[in-house]
Amino acid sequence: MSTSRTRTRSTPAPPATGGSTPTDAPRISVIGTGYLGATHAAAMAALGFDVIGYDTDQNKVDALSLGKVPFYEPGLDTLLTEQVESGRLRFTSDVREAVADADVHFVCVGTPQQSTSHAANLSYVEAAFTAILQNATRDALIVGKSTVPVGTAANLRTLIPSHLPEGLKAELVWNPEFLREGKAVDDTLHPDRIVIGGASAHAEALLRTVYATPISEGTPVVTCDLPTAELVKVSANAFLATKISFINAIAGVCEAAGADVTVLADALGHDVRIGRQFLNAGLGFGGGCLPKDIRALMHRASELGAHPAARLLQQVDEINMGQRERVIALATEACGGSVLNRRIGVLGAAFKPDTDDVRDSPALNVAAALHLRGAQVTVYDPQASDTARRTFPTLGYAASVEEAVQGSDVVLLLTEWPQLVDSDPAALAALTPTARVIDARGKLDPTTWRAAGWEFRGLGRPAA
């Protein structure tokens, strides 16, 4: 059984960003320095620990060692620079150096979808776990943070006797991450919960030392078995994905009935059992987590014989992907039945605001699909243009909203960056002879845009 241990919230204690680390404080290694690992390493250093981050990518290690974040995450560059300069945080591509002097090892590597199925690719997790065991010089607490299928940790534990040097002890526990891209720093320093799975009394006490500052602020600690801990993150993502797909399915009903899904969602959100978050109808979810996590859970549920869960997640995935086709159909309709040689201005490339991440981005997927149908697509994104260009170099890229809109046959709002949502519709209307806009995120005010001369369409909203 899992138990929740909640501390009464007190006056928040600031991160230990100054002063010396206690001599008995655990030394920390972070294996993998992508979105999760780089943020976790910097945050652990900010909490006062000596931290070393390891990655196989020497270019990434070199950049991080100079305090440079190789991706966009608000606030992380400042935090990283402060901790590198303090001497508490360093990076290496030598796994022996990373592991040898650390007491607690956080595994933060990726678990991408396999190329041949919906299952998660666990090769990076297995390699990280094995490398820690083989290079350990002292007893080790290995903490899995990567999102894995249930049962992974139990399988990894079987590797300990054959890989750990004689005379040493190692314990594997699971401590899932709940970071939101764009808010990762705050989510790490001030998490809304800390889950510890499969820990002995000693391991739990050690992790409570690591997380002492957020615990003192009132962050609840949930202790449980390994399978429960592994399922928490994927279940949370599956629930959010289901909520998004639900409102998108209802958006289709609204379009057919002439109703407004945005007003409907506002009304639903007043119900405390439902809430307003993740009830924005639109282009749907993407990124490096939700799509691959619900597919991995779908696959694992089928393996375990939990077929109702697998069928539900299949529908969630299909509804979500269908929204991309719906936006493509609206753009084609706006262009008179064909986008061939039509100019389309696309506002947004990242899968959501406050990130430059374009992994499985619905926005970039729609832009690329229209390009493949013969459209002249010009994309503008405040942060993700460079990462988008590396993924789809054949698309056109603009340096401003105005350049993307100039001379367009139709404009698509595909990522709800505030600076895109707050664009002046009257000024933009003067840049195109055919002012047509498709709001694929439900963030524009139809009345304002129509008054400025735009032909407005939105998902789940009345056509006029």
Side-chain angles (χ1 to χ4, degrees):
M1 293 290 291
S2 64
T3 59
S4 177
R5 303 172 183 175
T6 305
R7 295 291 185 266
T8 301
R9 184 166 293 277
S10 57
T11 301
T17 54
S20 60
T21 304
T23 56
D24 60 345
R27 284 166 288 191
I28 293 173
S29 77
V30 175
I31 310 301
T33 59
Y35 282 92
L36 167 61
T39 306
H40 192 71
M44 292 299 100
L47 293 176
F49 298 98
D50 285 332
V51 181
I52 182 168
Y54 164 76
D55 205 284
T56 58
D57 185 338
Q58 186 63 52
N59 291 331
K60 187 185 297 183
V61 168
D62 291 342
L64 292 170
S65 298
L66 294 173
K68 298 178 180 178
V69 182
F71 49 86
Y72 178 71
E73 179 61 42
L76 181 56
D77 51 353
T78 300
L79 186 69
L80 180 72
T81 299
E82 290 174 350
Q83 300 315 310
V84 169
E85 291 179 351
S86 76
R88 283 189 295 272
L89 177 60
R90 57 195 178 94
F91 297 90
T92 182
S93 58
D94 184 340
V95 69
R96 292 176 181 170
E97 179 186 4
V99 172
D101 294 327
D103 305 292
V104 181
H105 310 273
F106 286 97
V107 176
C108 299
V109 297
T111 53
Q113 185 176 320
Q114 290 186 14
S115 58
T116 56
S117 78
H118 284 160
N121 179 352
L122 297 176
S123 61
Y124 301 106
V125 171
E126 292 168 356
F129 182 70
T130 302
I132 293 169
L133 293 175
Q134 293 175 339
N135 290 281
T137 60
R138 61 181 70 197
D139 292 347
L141 174 60
I142 305 173
V143 185
K145 292 199 74 68
S146 303
T147 304
V148 296
V150 62
T152 299
N155 291 334
L156 290 175
R157 279 185 170 179
T158 66
L159 302 177
I160 293 177
S162 59
H163 289 88
L164 189 67
E166 188 175 352
L168 297 182
K169 298 178 181 178
E171 182 174 354
L172 172 66
V173 303
W174 222 261
N175 170 222
E177 58 88 8
F178 302 102
L179 304 190
R180 299 166 294 171
E181 288 188 36
K183 297 179 174 62
V185 170
D186 189 63
D187 286 346
T188 307
L189 292 173
H190 310 285
D192 54 15
R193 76 279 209 195
I194 297 168
V195 176
I196 301 172
S200 66
H202 168 73
E204 182 182 340
L206 191 53
L207 278 176
R208 284 179 176 273
T209 299
V210 171
Y211 291 121
T213 298
I215 290 173
S216 73
E217 296 174 355
T219 297
V221 177
V222 179
T223 60
C224 56
D225 52 54
L226 279 175
T228 302
E230 291 171 310
L231 279 169
V232 171
K233 173 62 185 294
V234 291
S235 297
N237 278 353
F239 183 85
L240 296 178
T242 301
K243 194 171 182 181
I244 294 167
S245 286
F246 168 81
I247 199 64
N248 280 334
I250 295 299
V253 179
C254 287
E255 283 190 42
D260 191 325
V261 73
T262 303
V263 178
L264 173 67
D266 289 341
L268 291 177
H270 286 295
D271 189 326
V272 295
R273 299 169 301 173
I274 298 173
R276 185 62 177 82
Q277 285 189 309
F278 291 88
L279 274 184
N280 291 320
L283 190 50
F285 57 82
C289 289
L290 258 66
K292 63 99 175 173
D293 284 354
I294 66 167
R295 291 165 190 162
L297 180 56
M298 184 195 314
H299 180 86
R300 186 66 177 133
S302 293
E303 288 182 333
L304 294 170
H307 299 298
R311 290 194 295 270
L312 171 64
L313 294 173
Q314 177 73 27
Q315 285 294 308
V316 168
D317 199 10
E318 289 179 359
I319 291 169
N320 184 64
M321 296 303 293
Q323 292 299 98
R324 306 180 187 193
E325 292 299 325
R326 177 60 180 150
V327 173
I328 293 169
L330 285 175
T332 302
E333 179 184 329
C335 291
S338 173
V339 297
L340 182 64
N341 294 324
R342 295 302 185 95
R343 179 172 170 76
I344 297 178
V346 168
L347 304 183
F351 83 93
K352 71 172 190 176
D354 292 324
T355 181
D356 64 351
D357 193 350
V358 297
R359 290 176 295 174
D360 201 4
S361 168
L364 197 55
N365 179 265
V366 167
L370 291 169
H371 169 73
L372 291 174
R373 286 164 170 77
Q376 300 173 19
V377 180
T378 303
V379 179
Y380 171 71
D381 189 285
Q383 290 292 339
S385 290
D386 288 342
T387 51
R389 186 180 286 108
R390 288 194 292 271
T391 304
F392 286 106
T394 55
L395 295 175
Y397 293 91
S400 66
V401 173
E402 291 76 14
E403 184 181 344
V405 172
Q406 183 74 46
S408 62
D409 291 288
V410 63
V411 174
L412 312 182
L413 176 68
L414 302 185
T415 310
E416 64 272 33
W417 287 92
Q419 52 267 60
L420 303 182
V421 173
D422 294 338
S423 297
D424 182 351
L428 294 182
L431 301 176
T432 172
T434 54
R436 304 186 187 100
V437 64
I438 296 172
D439 177 11
R441 290 298 180 181
K443 293 296 184 180
L444 303 181
D445 178 25
T447 301
T448 301
W449 281 74
R450 285 173 176 145
W454 289 85
E455 180 183 312
F456 181 96
R457 292 296 304 273
L459 298 178
R461 308 180 87 170

